[in-house]
Amino acid sequence: MTTYVVSYDLIKTKDYAKITAAIEAYGNWCKPLESFYVIETFQTSIQVRDNLQRFIDGDDRLLVIQCDLNNWASLNLSDKVNKWMGG
């Protein structure tokens, strides 16, 4: 499995329920910050982007970046998030 950071900005119509449900449908995820998830999937970053694009408007922004959970640091995140991320 590959780990990705998924972040988004909803511009005009702010239908957070659709995009968050689509991200959480990946099953193995955590949400350390608002509009910022970390997910694990067998999909490529392009496949994740294309899947999530269906749940946002044409002017919204979406970013999918492969990340390394062996090299990260945080401040004031919940114990649950830190545990999920392996800290």
Side-chain angles (χ1 to χ4, degrees):
M1 278 218 219
T2 304
T3 305
Y4 297 102
V5 166
V6 177
S7 186
Y8 54 88
D9 288 331
L10 303 185
I11 305 304
K12 292 178 186 162
T13 305
K14 308 235 185 307
D15 190 351
Y16 291 101
K18 284 189 336 190
I19 187 66
T20 59
I23 294 169
E24 293 172 5
Y26 279 96
N28 197 7
W29 58 271
C30 77
K31 185 178 180 186
L33 304 168
E34 291 299 317
S35 303
F36 187 99
Y37 281 81
V38 182
I39 66 168
E40 290 185 329
T41 180
F42 288 109
Q43 293 183 341
T44 67
S45 58
I46 293 170
Q47 289 171 320
V48 172
R49 179 207 57 202
D50 291 350
N51 175 50
L52 297 178
Q53 182 178 346
R54 300 178 302 137
F55 302 97
I56 59 177
D57 296 330
D59 61 345
D60 295 333
R61 298 179 185 114
L62 177 66
L63 179 64
V64 180
I65 302 172
Q66 184 175 343
C67 70
D68 178 3
L69 288 183
N70 294 312
N71 186 14
W72 62 277
S74 68
L75 179 65
N76 296 327
L77 296 184
S78 72
D79 290 341
K80 180 180 177 180
V81 168
N82 283 324
K83 183 177 178 182
W84 187 96
M85 293 179 56

